[in-house]
Amino acid sequence: MSNRTFLTLHSIIYAFFAFALFFLPGFLWQNYGVELNDRYAWFLSQHNSIFLGGIAILGFLLRDVTDGTTIRRLLTGLMATNALGFIVTLYAAMIGVFTGFGWSDPAFFAFLAAMSFLQLKKSDQA
């Protein structure tokens, strides 16, 4: 897949979760077994959408970059971000914070980290 297609899809996925965490945090977190008890927890969910949305925006704005160094750094950054997401959400699932649909987060981040790695290797060969 082209870098443009990969970055567009990656951005759409992150934008979806950013909107869901901002507008539907009670519904979304309930599926993971996480309860939002007060307005501070609700706000932290919405605050988290800043970073997910930012990743979506950066990937979308840089989807047409052809400079080898820049695309390599962008894909490396996305791979590292997704790997960090995998570690944090796997920890949450292992200690029982995430239940129910919580197994999907580590799987989601592992998938995106692997896809970022494959895209990086493909870009290195081009």
Side-chain angles (χ1 to χ4, degrees), residues 21-109:
L21 284 176
F22 188 83
F23 292 109
L24 303 167
F27 171 77
L28 186 65
W29 286 119
Q30 177 183 358
N31 292 311
Y32 291 87
V34 176
E35 185 178 329
L36 301 179
N37 294 339
D38 57 26
R39 65 187 176 128
Y40 303 107
W42 193 276
F43 170 74
L44 285 175
S45 178
Q46 292 175 321
H47 189 270
N48 193 37
S49 71
I50 295 167
F51 307 108
L52 296 177
I55 292 168
I57 292 165
L58 289 172
F60 186 77
L61 291 175
L62 295 172
R63 71 189 187 280
D64 292 320
V65 169
T66 56
D67 174 62
T69 302
T70 303
I71 197 66
R72 180 168 178 59
R73 288 179 179 172
L74 175 60
L75 293 172
T76 301
L78 292 176
M79 181 182 64
T81 298
N82 288 311
L84 181 60
F86 169 74
I87 293 166
V88 170
T89 57
L90 180 63
Y91 173 74
M94 289 175 54
I95 66 170
V97 171
F98 279 178
T99 61
F101 201 61
W103 61 266
S104 68
D105 256 28
F108 162 79
F109 283 115

